[in-house]
Amino acid sequence: MAESPSMFSESWHRIAGQRMQLRASVDIRRQQIRGEDWYVLRDNFTNSFYRIRPGARRFLLHLTGRRTVEEAWRRSLAESPKEAPGQNEIIQLLAHLHQANLVQSDLPPDSRQLFERVRRFRQAQVRNTLASILYLRIPLWDPDRFLVRLLPLVRHAFSRWGAIAWGITVLFALKIAVDHREQLLHRGQEVLAPENLILLYAAFFVTKFLHELGHGFACRKFGGEVHTLGVMLLVFSPVPYVDVTSAWAQRSRARRMWVGAAGMYVELFVAALATFVWAQTGAGVVNSIAYNVMFVASVSTLLFNLNPLLRFDGYYILSDLVDAPNLHTRSQAQLAYWSEKWLFGVEHPPQPAATANEAVFLGLFGIASSIYRFFVFTAIILFIADKFFGVGLIAAAVGGFSLFILPLFQYGRYLAREPRLERHRVRAVSVTAAALAVVLGFLAFFPWPYYTYAPGMLQTPVSARVAAGADGYMEQYVVESGRPVRAGDLLVRMTSPELGLKIAAAEARVRQTRAQENAGLQRGGANLRVTTRRREAAEAQLADLQQRRQDLQVKAPIDGVWVAPRAGDMYGSLVGRGNVLGQVIQPPAFEFVAVVAQADSSRLFASGNPPAEIRLAGQAEKVVPVAQVTFIPGKQNILPTSALGWNASGPVKVTPEDREGLTTVEPYFKAIARVQPGSPAALLHGQTGYIRFTTGSEPLLVQGWRRFRQMLQTRYQL
């Protein structure tokens, strides 16, 4: 796949006569990647690294400081014409090595060029700081001696037997978590409560510190050096970090992956230990600390550290797993290669991929990581602004500059100065301008349907709840859920051994009081009034108990369809009097009750009866047609069902004070959509889903600007 690089360059004369050589502190180590030889240049003083191919290594070996660049290139070309790098590749190689401070030149330095280099270096530092303002790193300590001293104590944790012990521990902890999953999920709703934030952050900091020590110990175990441990201001919150770039020099791919995974290895083990503590302790500080450690060490590790689209542990593990070093840089270079070759017409742009499959992988990774980076940036800014609006505004300005303005400036400089575009600059500028005009024209002028989404619940206008009339144990659902029934049909059969004993005792009391009443009549009526009242009370109690026994046979109150979504979970369980067992509904008259946000209400009210369609949860591929929509103008704060609220993982934010999860934080407007008969989806009372309204068409840029203003008004009252 890789094309031979351009052998000659128009800029060659600028470096051909210079005499250079690698610095004395640089050593070269061989690595194998996908069966091919690569070499790693490492400066032992600055801990700088750079990977090169065999042809570039042979060229650098000829750079002794006495030969010119031209002479070294011709010697490498004579020795291996196929592997020798071209002039363009050598220019890029020397530029990168010079930037990494891995080469030196014995030419007398020009003071003006020296000052210019210092100025550019400082500008690069400022740009890097601005680009990483949301994850700024501050080095604090050299932990190498500390790691060396403690390494004998933890060495076996990274051995084969240590991994087996780790696996057994994690599996047992996972079993405990599965057995107590309901308690864990319920407790998870309180993890962001104000009173828990201090414990949560303390658990986060300690756990991440152990995570970074795991990287450091693994790197030191395999002979690497770890000279930097510091704090990274991740979203302006201090998080520990450690520099283990010396692991790049390891020849073994498995060792490099071990170093990358060591942090998660330690963190999941800590989560397992915390699970044991949590399961064995009652409510209290120790139990809360253990739960927070479990939450941080498991959720954050799996969602962030393992994600290869972010430049954390998962990214470096993936790079070694697929033998793709410098994955992020090469993916961006692959996108640049496609642009230069197919859009700008450059004959032989540098190709970072060796095969067609690798080129596709790099391109897709570059696109996915760029998109994901944008969404992560947006989520972080909104999170900060929700807590501290002023800080969020500053972070949005600085982050937006680094994410949008700075790349645009760099791209403009690339179009103006890139030597490869020397003969294609007009075409490159024209293609860029045309693409920009097409995209902006599409966004600003092409009409696009304006959609408004609202969550809601399907229900029938006529329905009757069926509840248990007495306490008892669930014995049988006589009618399966979804079957038609008539009024009086038996739906549920329940039993109550205790009720049977009470009835037997009541019948005995009735017989006793009747016998006493008959004996009193025979004695001439002495104390007959008292005896009669006792008999009447005993008979009333017996009648009540017999009615309860009849209530154990639950019957349909009306004609319709029997709906019992929890039937499978209630067999053999104790059901209290008044507990809802299901509903009898009268189809096919279904309505969809939707919760419309205030920001969308004015446009929907002005549209009258807009076209709409419903998609239900679990049946999103089937469109439920809507006959008519009615909007209720009054504001409301009570949801039609708790399934739409946050407490039940719904989309509507509810107040934490309401245990039932029905009171919304912000008022909403209700929309009632009547469903047309003959829907392709299976309709059941209580199903949730979304309704989509189409209210005209507007360009996407106009729609985006309106939603952005609505978001500012809703979230920040601007």
Side-chain angles (χ1 to χ4, degrees), residues 383-421:
F383 175 79
I384 298 175
D386 287 343
K387 304 296 182 181
F388 311 100
F389 180 75
V391 178
L393 192 62
I394 296 174
V398 177
F401 175 80
S402 64
L403 197 62
F404 301 107
I405 305 302
L406 189 59
L408 288 176
F409 172 77
Q410 292 174 342
Y411 182 74
R413 187 172 60 179
Y414 157 79
L415 290 177
R417 300 182 182 180
E418 177 57 45
R420 291 194 301 273
L421 302 181

Side-chain angles (χ1 to χ4, degrees), residues 56 85 105 249 318 343 363 371 386 404 525 581 597:
S105 171
L318 178 65
L343 298 179
I371 295 175
D386 287 343
F404 301 107
L581 304 177

Side-chain angles (χ1 to χ4, degrees), residues 36-296:
E36 298 181 0
D37 286 338
W38 284 72
Y39 292 88
V40 176
L41 305 181
R42 179 192 179 190
D43 190 330
N44 296 312
F45 288 157
T46 63
N47 210 30
S48 300
F49 293 84
Y50 193 78
R51 284 189 177 96
I52 58 174
R53 290 187 176 272
R57 169 183 171 272
R58 186 174 291 107
F59 164 75
L60 292 176
L61 292 179
H62 288 299
L63 280 181
T64 61
R66 295 186 297 272
R67 298 190 184 99
T68 64
V69 173
E70 174 78 20
E71 293 172 348
W73 177 63
R74 291 192 178 278
R75 282 177 175 267
S76 63
L77 188 62
E79 292 179 359
S80 180
K82 293 184 178 180
E83 291 187 354
Q87 292 180 353
N88 273 329
E89 188 176 347
I90 288 179
I91 292 175
Q92 294 180 14
L93 172 65
L94 294 178
H96 289 152
L97 295 179
H98 180 71
Q99 184 178 5
N101 203 29
L102 295 174
V103 295
Q104 64 182 9
S105 171
D106 56 1
L107 292 176
D110 180 82
S111 59
R112 181 176 179 181
Q113 292 181 352
L114 180 62
F115 291 147
E116 181 69 13
R117 180 180 176 185
V118 172
R119 184 181 66 83
R120 291 181 180 178
F121 178 74
R122 290 178 177 175
Q123 288 179 347
Q125 284 185 318
V126 173
R127 287 196 301 269
N128 292 335
T129 301
L130 292 176
S132 60
I133 189 66
L134 298 180
Y135 42 91
L136 186 64
R137 295 189 173 189
I138 304 174
L140 297 177
W141 177 45
D142 184 347
D144 200 63
R145 292 184 179 179
F146 171 79
L147 297 175
V148 171
R149 291 177 181 176
L150 292 185
L151 186 59
L153 300 178
V154 300
R155 181 184 298 273
H156 296 293
F158 298 96
S159 64
R160 178 179 301 177
W161 290 108
I164 293 175
W166 177 90
I168 295 174
T169 304
V170 172
L171 286 177
F172 272 108
L174 183 61
K175 181 183 182 303
I176 292 176
V178 172
D179 293 341
H180 297 80
R181 57 186 179 276
E182 294 184 0
Q183 300 177 28
L184 291 173
L185 292 175
H186 178 74
R187 185 73 177 271
Q189 299 175 4
E190 305 172 358
V191 72
L192 293 179
E195 61 272 12
N196 187 60
L197 290 180
I198 296 178
L199 290 179
L200 179 65
Y201 183 76
F204 180 82
F205 190 88
V206 173
T207 304
K208 291 305 175 183
F209 180 74
L210 297 176
H211 175 110
E212 298 303 323
L213 286 183
H215 288 304
F217 280 121
C219 183
R220 242 324 175 174
K221 176 181 175 6
F222 299 132
E225 297 181 1
V226 183
H227 292 291
T228 303
L229 189 149
V231 172
M232 178 173 61
L233 296 181
L234 182 63
V235 197
F236 301 103
S237 298
V239 179
Y241 84 95
V242 68
D243 184 1
V244 291
T245 53
S246 61
W248 294 356
Q250 291 289 337
R251 293 185 175 90
S252 171
R253 179 176 63 171
R255 289 186 174 185
R256 297 195 300 270
M257 294 176 63
W258 247 115
V259 175
M264 294 182 288
Y265 179 80
V266 170
E267 203 164 349
L268 289 177
F269 185 75
V270 171
L273 297 181
T275 304
F276 298 144
V277 174
W278 174 80
Q280 297 298 324
T281 57
V285 177
V286 175
N287 186 269
S288 298
I289 293 176
Y291 182 84
N292 283 282
V293 171
M294 290 170 55
F295 180 84
V296 170

Side-chain angles (χ1 to χ4, degrees), residues 32-33 64 73 143 176 224 249 274 306 343 383 429 483 587 615 674:
Q32 274 212 338
I33 298 178
T64 61
W73 177 63
I176 292 176
L306 198 59
L343 298 179
F383 175 79
V429 174
R483 298 281 186 177
R615 295 182 185 269
R674 184 164 55 86

Side-chain angles (χ1 to χ4, degrees), residues 379 382-383 385-386 666 710-718:
L382 292 177
F383 175 79
D386 287 343
E666 298 178 355
Q710 290 175 348
M711 185 269 294
L712 292 180
Q713 182 178 5
T714 302
R715 298 178 71 133
Y716 312 114
Q717 291 75 47
L718 295 180

Side-chain angles (χ1 to χ4, degrees), residues 296-317:
V296 170
S298 57
V299 175
S300 66
T301 296
L302 297 177
L303 294 183
F304 295 98
N305 292 99
L306 198 59
N307 190 339
L309 297 180
L310 299 174
R311 299 187 71 176
F312 294 131
D313 300 342
Y315 165 81
Y316 297 104
I317 294 174

Side-chain angles (χ1 to χ4, degrees), residues 38 85 161 169 242 254 308 347 432 548-549 564 571 619 632 703:
W38 284 72
W161 290 108
T169 304
V242 68
E347 288 81 4
T432 301
R548 291 188 187 182
R549 182 167 58 184
Y571 284 108
Q619 306 180 74
I632 310 301
Q703 294 186 27

